[in-house]
Amino acid sequence: MTRSFVVLGGTGDLTGRLLLPGLAELVDAGILDDGVRLLALSREDWSDEEYRSWARDRLAEHAAHVPEPARERLVGRFGHRHGDVTVAADLRAGLERAGGTPVVYLALPNTVFLPTLEALTEVGLPEGAVVAVEKPFGRDLADAQRLNAVLHRLVPEEQVFRTDHFLAMQTVLNILGLRFANRMFEPVWNAQHVERVDIVFDETLGLEGRAGYYDTAGALRDMLQNHLLQMLAVVAMEPPAALDARSLAARKADVLRAVRSPEDMRRDTVRARYTAGRVGGRELPDYTAEDGVQADRGTETYAEYTVTIENWRWAGVPFRLRSGKALGADRHEIALRFRPVPHLAFQPDEESPATEPDVLRLRLDPDGIDLDLNLNGAGDPFDLERRSLQVELPPARLSAYGLLLAELLAGEAALSISDVEAEESWRIVEPILAAWAAGEVPLQEYPAGSDGPAR
Ligand code: BG6
């Protein structure tokens, strides 16, 4: 079977920033088969050469880590076709030019997913075709259901790839290794031993010129509805029998089905947006003063919510999800805080104050794992000291997008989100969106560069 890779939105930001660099990594690693034909479709009236020149510049900007000859080999293989992705005739012409069994990648704003997919159903796809859809998958549950319905008319569910690049991050994948390839963690991976779980993705980056998308999305839709809920699903799932797409999707879906939306919105959710401030030596303007932002939309740049998972393993354990932009430090981690020991024979004193419970921290970027423990003091063996066992993981061989594209081109969907998961995630988030839209939770503010809103 000859594969082709057809990217719709071929001159978009996502293609230039993430897809082209990911593909260049695959060329460099020798895992992008020479037979795979590459075609970009976009609204630009460009020749192949004009497209290649654009792609070359994007790669120089975003894939400097890939040697130039590999970048050049990729660029030379790309063709471009002008067209409207919502017009069947244009799609047909693009697919004909690419030939082979396509992976069709929708690197598009999510407002055009539906008309594009509908136009694709008019054209029809050959057997074995794969359709990849970027996030966010719709704007709400009804939207996700509509997208799923049209996708299922187009190709079988096994050939749909709903992208979430966090699933291809090595620390997230390492949750599987840590939990299921070792004997010692699973017995304590439950409500009896774990007191709380924090899933945190704090960014120092601000809006970075993405108002067109971000101001209509906000942190809850941009990060929590997909990336953070996926991390939660991997942390909390039951052991899968195998690591194939079907087993993983089923175990993750079980977790999401058991997630209860917050009961008390004011207590369990926080929304906020940044005001002017200084982050790492850079002055950031007030979010509402950023180009393209409409202040009265009330878009949050920080979202937090604490959920519970109503099942045997996790009943009563709060999982706090938090993500925000323009914060003082990049903090990307999943932290499991264990319950205190049932009895502590050590008496707290000035030398050894009360102990903190054990914490297992899975860090993303730089990737690593820390286990914070209480150990006997170096000087006085009857004192306690806080020590950390640390593992630093070397940078992954492929970026998350590189790995994801490798899987996609190999026809593997283990790193994808299933139809059920996509809908369950909206089911969880919708009551929060509704409560926030109704003003039930005040929109707080935090200065850029701070630790977020005061609670
Ligand atoms: C994207 C979000 O999906 O993930 C961005 O749209 C966010 O807002 C990004 O910054 C974080 O992922 P990464 O890989 O850039 O750290």
Side-chain angles (χ1 to χ4, degrees):
M1 165 174 84
T2 314
R3 265 263 177 247
S4 56
F5 183 78
V6 180
V7 50
L8 308 183
T11 55
D13 173 66
L14 182 100
T15 302
R17 222 163 19 89
L18 298 162
L19 297 185
L20 290 174
L23 290 169
E25 290 175 16
L26 302 191
V27 171
D28 188 42
I31 45 182
L32 182 67
D33 200 301
D34 285 343
V36 180
R37 304 202 203 129
L38 306 169
L39 184 83
L41 198 108
S42 85
R43 273 187 304 204
E44 305 296 338
D45 199 0
W46 286 351
S47 65
D48 288 351
E49 261 327 305
E50 283 168 312
Y51 182 73
R52 288 176 188 154
S53 144
W54 177 85
R56 193 172 286 122
D57 291 349
R58 295 287 75 71
L59 285 165
E61 192 179 345
H62 300 294
H65 60 291
V66 178
E68 212 198 328
R71 288 189 255 148
E72 230 2 83
R73 284 208 300 284
L74 176 72
V75 167
R77 286 174 59 179
F78 251 104
H80 175 263
R81 198 166 194 297
H82 159 79
D84 180 335
V85 293
T86 64
V87 173
D90 289 358
L91 289 172
R92 186 175 293 114
L95 289 166
E96 274 170 12
R97 169 152 182 216
T101 310
V103 170
V104 182
Y105 200 111
L106 274 67
L108 299 165
N110 76 351
T111 44
V112 289
F113 286 169
L114 197 61
T116 304
L117 291 170
E118 275 164 354
L120 274 172
T121 58
E122 268 182 63
V123 180
L125 288 174
E127 211 176 313
V130 172
V131 180
V133 186
E134 262 296 331
K135 56 137 282 219
F137 190 72
R139 276 191 66 72
D140 52 27
L141 178 59
D143 222 10
Q145 285 167 333
R146 276 191 287 273
L147 289 172
N148 278 336
V150 62
L151 276 165
H152 292 158
R153 277 195 280 137
L154 197 54
V155 289
E157 170 63 19
E158 298 74 52
Q159 287 156 233
V160 178
F161 197 100
R162 295 174 194 78
T163 300
D164 189 313
H165 75 288
F166 275 50
L167 288 175
M169 288 182 176
Q170 79 170 343
T171 295
V172 179
L173 290 169
N174 238 314
I175 301 168
L176 300 174
L178 186 79
R179 288 189 59 192
F180 305 131
N182 297 291
R183 184 97 194 193
M184 59 191 295
F185 294 107
E186 263 319 278
V188 295
W189 210 267
N190 54 47
Q192 211 190 329
H193 297 285
V194 175
E195 189 175 67
R196 60 175 300 135
V197 179
D198 288 287
I199 301 181
V200 177
F201 204 86
D202 286 359
E203 297 183 275
T204 51
L205 287 180
L207 192 55
E208 312 299 315
R210 293 168 77 214
Y213 151 70
Y214 193 88
D215 199 43
T216 57
L220 189 61
R221 282 193 173 89
D222 182 48
M223 294 296 295
L224 275 70
Q225 188 274 340
N226 36 74
H227 302 321
L228 271 60
L229 278 178
Q230 281 294 311
M231 290 202 270
L232 169 120
V234 179
V235 168
M237 73 182 179
E238 295 303 315
L243 295 184
D244 57 276
R246 197 177 284 205
S247 311
L248 286 175
R251 297 290 76 81
K252 284 191 287 155
D254 282 345
V255 173
L256 295 173
R257 278 198 199 94
V259 169
R260 292 288 153 267
S261 298
E263 272 167 21
D264 179 338
M265 292 291 172
R266 281 186 83 110
R267 183 196 62 198
D268 298 335
T269 76
V270 181
R271 65 179 184 129
R273 72 180 171 200
Y274 65 82
T275 54
R278 202 176 168 76
V279 188
R282 266 197 325 153
E283 289 296 338
L284 283 190
D286 204 282
Y287 174 75
T288 57
E290 297 263 21
D291 263 357
V293 168
Q294 221 174 287
D296 58 3
R297 281 203 184 110
T299 301
E300 78 287 354
T301 59
Y302 176 101
E304 189 179 311
Y305 75 99
T306 304
V307 293
T308 51
I309 301 175
E310 303 295 326
N311 66 15
W312 190 296
R313 187 190 280 262
W314 293 116
V317 179
F319 282 72
R320 186 181 64 138
L321 312 184
R322 142 181 179 141
S323 182
K325 297 228 179 259
L327 291 164
D330 282 303
R331 190 168 142 234
H332 307 163
E333 68 177 32
I334 299 166
L336 282 84
R337 187 180 162 94
F338 290 87
R339 296 191 187 280
V341 290
H343 170 72
L344 190 67
F346 293 81
Q347 291 305 317
D349 58 26
E350 266 179 33
E351 295 279 298
S352 101
T355 55
E356 280 286 304
D358 305 338
V359 177
L360 176 67
R361 229 178 279 285
L362 309 166
R363 285 182 281 111
L364 289 81
D365 191 19
D367 294 339
I369 300 173
D370 305 335
L371 181 58
D372 300 344
L373 298 170
N374 300 305
L375 298 176
N376 283 92
D380 183 343
F382 294 102
D383 275 349
L384 287 177
E385 270 181 15
R386 197 75 175 155
R387 287 289 175 88
S388 187
L389 305 182
Q390 297 190 325
V391 180
E392 298 301 330
L393 297 168
R397 194 167 61 102
L398 295 175
S399 66
Y401 265 89
L403 179 58
L404 207 128
L405 289 164
E407 293 282 298
L408 188 55
L409 288 163
E412 305 287 343
L415 302 182
S416 155
I417 298 181
S418 67
D419 48 357
V420 178
E421 292 173 79
E423 292 183 17
E424 283 298 324
S425 303
W426 282 119
R427 196 246 333 134
I428 296 165
V429 162
E430 267 196 348
I432 308 171
L433 288 168
W436 288 7
E440 278 175 38
V441 179
L443 180 65
Q444 301 187 44
E445 293 192 326
Y446 60 98
S450 69
D451 185 36
R455 294 236 45 191

